[in-house]
């Protein structure tokens, strides 16, 4: 079994995520294949992509991985819909679906049947050229579906389609998300451009390959966490490409990589990758479950991954070396950098290119970098 180091894994992901300023612009293709989470809506995904490429392909915002909003290549919608169409509610962990999953199973309702019913109602509710808010769409769809799919919600005092089912059904209905740039965090649903359907088995195999291209090496448990499916379901997905995988040893633990990536893992020189990057909250680099690998120090992990409102990430070469937050006053943007340790002398100058991109993305006319 090939032994690899943590430094090699970080270098592999750094390159795969198009973060090397000296490398050719890949158009963000690798991270778009697995998706760039957008949270709050309209705040992070477009910036994460802009920091990686000046030539992105056509994109679309969807409820995809875990039902969360992610930015993807527009052409990938059919593949994602086919791959993420959960047939059995028991493939979703309780923390994802709550007691609603047990209720569906008890009623003998297959989850894919529920998805199809809600998706059909959504397509009927939104004809071409129209867009609706989530409340408007829910108000039209909920009365049209089986009452067992619309439990009473105590927080809003109404019966409506369960939120996780609603989110996942928008993907099956081919609905894209439009964020109102004038009112941050406000969004609407509209029909995406129609494309031919994809094969579900091959779509899942492709998604696992894309996962390993972006987040590898990994283990089936990492795939389960990323997709918010049970370990048993993740193993079925994993086995679709089992003959394409090879084991590697990382800190005494067996991981798996796609055989096409092994040479790159072994030959990439971590000491040759240099750059200072300012990545937004919920950047793809931080989205895998192996937080202990990314940030070994427990106190530092608590500053990177918060219960709510994650900060941006300060990346020095291939290491997460601190966080940053922004404050806006009029047209002026202040970025406050919080390195974990004493920063390099030239940190402010090295961070200026990304700071300028962040300011441009937020339509700020001037920006200031502050070191804490």
């Amino acid at each position: 079994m090939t032994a690899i180091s943590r430094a090699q894994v970080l270098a592999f992901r750094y390159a795969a995520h198009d973060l090397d300023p000296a490398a050719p612009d890949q158009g963000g293709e690798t991270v778009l294949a697995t998706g760039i989470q957008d949270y709050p809506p309209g705040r992070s995904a477009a910036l994460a992509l802009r920091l990686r490429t000046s030539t992105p392909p056509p994109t679309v915002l969807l409820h995809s991985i875990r039902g969360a909003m992610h930015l993807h290549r527009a052409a990938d919608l059919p593949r994602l819909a086919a791959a993420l169409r959960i047939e059995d509610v028991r493939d979703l962990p309780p923390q994802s679906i709550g007691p609603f999953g047990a209720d569906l199973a008890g009623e003998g309702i297959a989850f894919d049947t529920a998805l199809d019913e809600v998706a059909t109602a959504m397509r009927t509710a939104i004809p071409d050229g129209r867009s609706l808010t989530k409340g408007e769409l829910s108000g039209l769809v909920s009365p049209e579906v089986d009452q067992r799919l619309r439990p009473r919600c105590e927080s809003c005092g109404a019966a409506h389609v369960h939120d996780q089912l609603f989110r996942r059904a928008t993907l099956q209905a081919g609905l894209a998300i439009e964020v109102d740039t004038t009112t941050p965090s406000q969004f609407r649903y509209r029909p995406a451009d129609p494309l031919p359907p994809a094969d579900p088995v091959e779509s899942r195999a492709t998604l696992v390959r894309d996962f390993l291209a972006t987040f590898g090496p990994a283990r089936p448990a990492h795939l389960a966490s990323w997709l918010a499916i049970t370990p048993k379901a993740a193993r079925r997905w994993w086995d679709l490409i089992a003959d394409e995988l090879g084991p590697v040893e990382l800190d005494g633990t067996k991981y798996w990589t796609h055989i096409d990536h092994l040479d790159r893992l072994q030959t990439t020189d971590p000491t040759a990758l240099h750059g200072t990057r300012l990545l937004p909250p919920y950047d793809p680099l931080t989205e895998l479950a192996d937080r202990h690998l990314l940030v070994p120090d427990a106190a530092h992990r608590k500053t990177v991954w918060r219960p709510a409102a994650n900060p941006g990430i300060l990346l020095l070469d291939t290491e997460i070396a601190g966080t940053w937050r922004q404050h806006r006053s009029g047209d002026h943007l202040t970025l406050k950098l919080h390195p974990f340790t004493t920063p390099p002398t030239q940190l402010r100058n090295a961070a200026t290119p990304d700071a300028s991109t962040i300011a441009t993305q937020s339509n700020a006319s001037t920006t200031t970098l502050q070191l804490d």
Side-chain angles (χ1 to χ4, degrees), residues 202 205-206 208-210 212 238-247 256-262:
E202 181 52 37
T206 298
V208 178
R209 294 186 192 102
D210 291 337
L212 287 169
W238 193 268
D239 287 345
L240 293 173
I241 64 165
D243 60 347
E244 302 173 27
L245 306 180
W256 299 87
T257 185
H258 197 281
I259 54 177
D260 291 347
H261 306 157
L262 185 56

Side-chain angles (χ1 to χ4, degrees), residues 10-359:
L10 296 185
F12 173 84
R13 294 183 189 174
Y14 185 84
H17 281 248
D18 292 337
L19 295 173
D20 184 0
D25 189 336
Q26 300 298 316
E29 288 285 342
T30 306
V31 291
L32 282 171
T34 45
I36 303 174
Q37 186 168 343
D38 197 29
Y39 182 80
R43 299 287 185 89
S44 60
L47 175 57
L49 185 59
R50 189 166 186 169
L51 287 165
R52 287 169 164 84
T53 178
S54 59
T55 57
T59 58
V60 63
L61 187 62
L62 305 167
H63 282 303
S64 59
I65 309 301
R66 304 180 302 280
M69 291 185 190
H70 284 74
L71 192 68
H72 293 275
R73 297 176 298 210
D76 286 344
L77 196 161
R79 176 179 65 85
L80 291 163
L84 298 174
R85 185 174 181 268
I86 300 296
E87 294 91 3
D88 189 337
V89 73
R90 291 171 295 185
D91 286 346
L92 298 175
Q95 60 267 35
S96 171
I97 195 69
F100 178 69
D103 293 341
L104 276 187
E107 294 284 354
I109 301 174
F111 196 72
D112 56 353
T113 300
L115 279 173
D116 292 343
E117 183 171 346
V118 177
T120 298
M122 286 177 168
R123 285 189 289 266
T124 301
I126 306 186
D128 291 343
R130 187 181 179 193
S131 64
L132 296 175
T133 66
K134 185 176 183 180
E136 290 169 342
L137 180 58
S138 178
L140 292 173
V141 167
S142 293
E144 302 301 320
V145 301
D146 190 319
Q147 63 179 1
R148 293 171 294 181
L149 307 184
R150 44 184 173 93
R152 181 172 177 79
C153 176
E154 295 302 327
S155 63
C156 61
H160 57 71
V161 175
H162 185 273
D163 185 63
Q164 188 64 214
L165 175 59
F166 184 97
R167 289 167 176 258
R168 291 176 181 269
T170 62
L171 181 62
Q172 303 306 314
L175 300 186
I177 301 167
E178 291 179 334
V179 177
D180 186 347
T181 56
T182 63
T183 309
S185 299
Q186 297 298 311
F187 60 92
R188 303 174 70 88
Y189 295 100
R190 64 165 177 81
D193 294 334
L195 294 166
D199 177 75
V201 175
E202 181 52 37
S203 294
R204 287 185 175 178
T206 298
L207 192 56
V208 178
R209 294 186 192 102
D210 291 337
F211 169 77
L212 287 169
T214 309
F215 296 123
R219 297 163 59 85
H222 295 135
L223 180 67
S225 179
W226 179 64
L227 290 171
I229 58 178
T230 64
K232 184 177 180 180
R235 173 58 71 178
R236 293 200 306 271
W237 286 49
W238 193 268
D239 287 345
L240 293 173
I241 64 165
D243 60 347
E244 302 173 27
L245 306 180
V248 293
E249 182 181 338
L250 174 61
D251 294 335
T253 300
K254 182 187 287 188
Y255 284 68
W256 299 87
T257 185
H258 197 281
I259 54 177
D260 291 347
H261 306 157
L262 185 56
D263 182 65
R264 205 155 22 111
L265 263 171
Q266 293 177 286
T267 59
T268 300
D269 180 6
T271 64
L273 297 175
H274 299 289
T276 300
R277 308 305 310 265
L278 301 179
L279 305 182
Y282 305 97
D283 188 86
L285 191 70
T286 66
E287 285 304 290
L288 186 58
D290 58 356
R291 297 176 180 183
H292 290 76
L293 177 70
L294 292 175
V295 182
D297 185 276
H300 294 162
R301 283 198 301 273
K302 291 180 180 179
T303 67
V304 172
W305 291 280
R306 311 278 300 174
N310 284 355
I313 299 304
L314 168 63
L315 199 67
L316 296 183
D317 301 333
T318 63
E319 290 278 358
I320 294 177
T323 63
W324 63 269
R325 291 192 183 273
Q326 64 181 15
H327 173 73
R328 182 159 186 156
S329 178
D331 288 337
H332 184 77
L333 191 69
T334 300
L335 302 182
K336 298 182 178 181
L337 310 186
H338 305 277
F340 293 148
T341 59
T342 303
T345 305
Q346 298 300 316
L347 175 60
R348 185 179 282 105
N349 290 339
T352 296
D354 279 358
S356 298
T357 299
I358 294 167

